[in-house]
Amino acid sequence: MRRFLRPGHDPVRERLKRDLFQFNKTVEHGFPHQPSALGYSPFLRLMAIGTRSGAIKLYGAPGVEFMGLHEENNTVMQIHFIPDQCQLVTLLDDNSLHFWSLKQHGGASELREEHRFTLKGPPGSPPSATQVTAVLPHSSREVLYLGTESGSIFVVELPSFRVLEDRTISPEAVLQRIPEDNCSRRSCELVEALREHPKNPDQILIGYSRGLIVLWDLQNNKATHHFLGSQQLENLYWQRDGSKFISCHYDGSYTQWPVSSDNRQPEPLENTVPYGPFPCKAISKIYWQTTKNGLPYIIFQGGMPRASYGDRHSISVIHGSQQTAFDFTSRVIDFFIIFSSDPAAEFDDPSALVVLAEEELVVIDLKSAGWPAVHPPYLASLHCSAITCSHHVSNIPLKLWERIINAGSKQNIHYSSMPWPIDGGTNIAPDPPQRDLLLTGHEDGTVRFWDASGVCLHLLYKLSTVRVFLTDADPNDNMNTLGEDEWPPLRKVGTFDPYSDDPRLGIQKIFLCKYSGYLAVAGTAGQVLVMELNDEDAEHMVDHAEADLLQDQEGYRWKGHEKLKTRDGPVRFEAGFQPFVLVQCQPPAVVTSLALHSEWKLVAFGTSHGFGLFDHQQKRLVFVKCTLHPSDQLALEGPLSRVKSLKKSLRQSFRRIRRSRVSSRKRRGGGGNASEVQEANAKFDQDALQEMELAPVQRKIEARSAEDSFTGFVRTLYFADTFLRDSSRHCPSLWAGTNGGTVYAFCLRVPPAERRMDEPVRAEQAKEIQLMHRAPVVGILVLDGRSTPLPEPLEVAHDLSKSPDMQGSHQLLVVSEEQFKVFTLPKVSSKLKLKLTALEGCRVRKVTVANFGSCKTDDYSENDLAVLTNLGDIQIISLPFLKLQIRYPCIRKEDVSGIASCVFTKYGQGFYLISPSEFERFSLSTKWLVEPRCIVDMPEVTSNNHVHKKSGTENAARKS
């Protein structure tokens, strides 16, 4: 009974655990979910993005990142940087204003919220009286001008947010200066835009929604000019010299207005409807940028013909005879232009257009011919097609890394070569200690290779499997082709494309061997592709093989989707990973597990019907094994089936409910005998146990019925060179674990290299283990004579690992959803186990072996199990003694998709999706930590308004 007692406290081990394990959420990779606001500081060269959940993120040069979160979790509506300061103001949808600053704290720079403020009107006034619609940070850096729905403009002091009531610009004060026959009280309702005069800080331009525009003298508190537009106003923009400004309107037009030195009533210079004469959508924002050659850049959002193109999300750029309407696949949130910020410069000379769309960030190079897009170093649109799986590979050899980058560079020839224009701050983080790859599989049949070595998740290369198959879409279609006379001149930009030609193309499993360059990917319709890396384009045949997992068993009929049709004849492939063999599972069900052994040239695959082994060197099927139970009819219906039996589903649901009620009644009755707990090792007295202090993880395990659906579902596959038949000879083996708690072991005979192509690979089933509690098997691992996990294929050959100990006895670790169990090999007798609690609903979802190094010394490291449960907890369990070391809460248990998407790395880090477009990166190790470290130069402004820069500060602050 000692196994149930809590182990004694070991101070030495406790100190060592502190040196090995530490949980941190370090950085968020990808594109912010549901962005709602955009801001830019030309002085700091930093960009800010706000989201609907109240997050605010700042980005500069690659590696320069800051993040803040409003406590209210309200939508961020507007972001405005204070001129020439490391400060910004945010406006939320609850009408609150928040003042943020980048400040030094303990040698680190961090984004802090300094003050918050809500504008309040006089007692009894309606909410519209103080509902903020426009914000103008004045160049004096001392005040904010707040335009409201009621037409009043309030002035608040910075950073205290104290309202300066004597400086309020009321609609009545404005109307006093304007002839009565030109406007009425309603003309001054809802302030749409506030713009400071570029040459005279004592004048601001006020734009009201109904079309009235007023130039207001702040010193004398009066209107010097007024301009009457005939259409509803959307926005305003000053030309650089202050002699003219542009207004854009709801009817899709924009107007130039001169600002004369006298008080004459100005007339518009020009009124233009770019895509007229038919009714057009509103132009919501406009820039007029001057250039040395005299031809301005006119850049605006919207304005498309309402009837034919009203559903398009576009931004148009006009420069002389050149005109392009950039067409985005998601709604445009906002945009800005990067141009010369030197006050002494005579012209704007725009260099880049930066567009924040709802699902991606797009940057257009305005200096290069054709206005190409710029490849972003961060804010990647991970979900350009929905992510279906992910796979992490640590410590990529330099040769393979360079070949992948070379393949990716050939795909990026249509991108601009200009440096990334948002380059504020300096990244001072040390170079990553190794090269890491994160591979994501997508719904459209693509696999994307991401550089996951540092803070910035950067796309290196994109692989498409579509060319192997016949689909409705022609891969040679070019979405950007335009006829010469097409109008409007639309051009697709961005990578976000949520639509898949065929859901069967979706990638479900990925396995990359970093030493050989072999890659295996498996999909939704039972397709398994084996690929190798080629540095040049090539055209060749893809060999086909079929694996009948049902083995002609009678009484089974597949009701799901059909397999994908393949192309006949040679197929042209780009440089990079090129498929050379396709294994098609029959029935064409989703591939649920995949393993690749590049030294033996074997690939194993499993579905809900069984598993198989394929020799990709001889291109020959070695064997298949059907794992279907007679009750597994649901496994034959497939994920895309529309003919599922409602009657059967209801029957199974009621059966599960009834079983759970019966088992709970038995537990309440206090029964603790062996029939209820099938994994208990002995009977013991219940009353005596209640007096003992039980170890917290030792609980009952609920046995599952063999009639539960999907018992044949293959969850894991594992190759190992170990002792399977007797203790004197080791041999290659394949292990498979199923949803019904069954483990199959096959002995493999792989011919030596000199006879590899002449003799076939042979396989014979050697073992079959049935776990008594029948919980799904989620992991299989063999430990060598030193109790160390076996090395990866070819790892020893590349001198990156010690040879496994083949003298001592090997051990088999089987991880099910409910327990960890160690067996001796080759006898497969139970040696040790650790149970998880079934009473609390705890289940293992992900498990991997991770190497943890000490932060105090380079001489010590150990291998442990990193385990993620369905409750979102991460547990670290020691090997080989299965002792729980530490537990961390990581993911909310309600976040089922986040738990399902989690992937661990070999060195104690991990990634999981916090939204469809963002990975949260976390670390369990004290030694391996990837987080932002950066310097942002702090401004120092002298009395003559000349700006200097003083020493920067470091950002090493972690996001809590």
Side-chain angles (χ1 to χ4, degrees), residues 786-818:
R786 293 187 293 264
S787 297
T788 302
L790 296 182
E792 295 177 19
L794 297 175
E795 194 173 7
V796 175
H798 284 75
D799 298 324
L800 295 171
S801 175
K802 292 180 182 178
S803 297
D805 184 346
M806 293 297 185
Q807 303 305 317
S809 60
H810 284 198
Q811 301 172 79
L812 170 70
L813 171 63
V814 177
V815 181
S816 75
E817 281 191 355
E818 296 174 1

Side-chain angles (χ1 to χ4, degrees), residues 89 97 117 119 135-136 142-146 153-165 167-168:
V89 172
L97 287 156
F117 164 75
L119 189 62
V135 179
L136 171 63
E142 296 173 353
V143 293
L144 276 182
Y145 289 89
L146 306 177
I153 298 163
F154 296 90
V155 185
V156 296
E157 198 174 47
L158 288 177
S160 64
F161 281 131
R162 183 171 66 91
V163 179
L164 305 176
E165 295 183 3
R167 295 173 62 177
T168 300

Side-chain angles (χ1 to χ4, degrees), residues 75-296:
T75 299
V76 181
M77 303 298 291
Q78 296 183 38
I79 302 174
H80 299 273
F81 281 88
I82 307 302
D84 303 337
Q85 295 290 305
C86 282
Q87 299 167 339
L88 62 152
V89 172
T90 55
L91 172 67
L92 305 190
D93 65 350
D94 64 353
N95 206 40
S96 62
L97 287 156
H98 300 254
F99 185 82
W100 299 80
S101 63
L102 284 167
K103 279 198 170 181
Q104 187 172 358
H105 174 70
S109 179
E110 56 189 30
L111 182 64
R112 281 187 179 180
E113 184 179 352
E114 301 282 336
H115 301 282
R116 65 186 64 190
F117 164 75
T118 301
L119 189 62
K120 295 179 180 177
S125 60
S128 62
T130 54
Q131 183 68 44
V132 178
T133 55
V135 179
L136 171 63
H138 195 261
S139 60
S140 65
R141 302 177 290 278
E142 296 173 353
V143 293
L144 276 182
Y145 289 89
L146 306 177
T148 63
E149 271 188 16
S150 64
S152 296
I153 298 163
F154 296 90
V155 185
V156 296
E157 198 174 47
L158 288 177
S160 64
F161 281 131
R162 183 171 66 91
V163 179
L164 305 176
E165 295 183 3
D166 58 323
R167 295 173 62 177
T168 300
I169 305 171
S170 67
E172 291 75 20
V174 172
L175 288 171
Q176 286 177 6
R177 306 287 180 170
I178 300 173
E180 292 183 8
D181 55 342
N182 287 346
C183 58
S184 65
R185 171 65 182 84
R186 298 191 67 185
S187 302
C188 293
E189 288 180 355
L190 204 156
V191 178
E192 199 71 60
L194 292 170
R195 298 286 181 264
E196 183 180 336
H197 195 292
K199 298 297 183 182
N200 184 358
D202 290 332
Q203 291 184 337
I204 62 170
L205 202 60
I206 306 169
Y208 296 95
S209 178
R210 289 183 171 269
L212 173 65
I213 305 166
V214 173
L215 184 61
W216 189 263
D217 185 340
L218 298 173
Q219 285 288 342
N220 300 310
N221 204 29
K222 68 174 186 178
T224 60
H225 298 74
H226 68 276
F227 311 83
L228 291 173
S230 59
Q231 291 291 334
Q232 181 177 321
L233 180 71
E234 292 289 323
N235 222 318
L236 298 170
Y237 187 78
W238 277 107
Q239 290 192 20
R240 191 179 188 91
D241 60 2
S243 64
K244 305 183 194 71
F245 69 87
I246 317 297
S247 63
C248 54
H249 301 274
Y250 182 76
D251 67 341
S253 67
Y254 65 83
T255 305
Q256 283 193 76
W257 301 87
V259 179
S260 58
S261 55
D262 55 30
N263 292 328
R264 288 180 302 168
Q265 171 64 33
E267 293 293 332
L269 291 175
E270 180 185 6
N271 182 270
T272 306
V273 184
Y275 296 111
F278 300 108
C280 295
K281 291 190 73 179
I283 294 179
S284 56
K285 188 173 182 178
I286 191 165
Y287 279 80
W288 185 289
Q289 301 277 282
T290 56
T291 60
K292 293 175 184 175
N293 66 8
L295 291 173

Side-chain angles (χ1 to χ4, degrees), residues 593-611:
S593 54
L594 185 68
L596 177 72
H597 200 295
S598 47
E599 190 174 358
W600 302 337
K601 304 291 193 299
L602 299 174
V603 60
F605 47 89
T607 72
S608 53
H609 307 119
F611 60 96

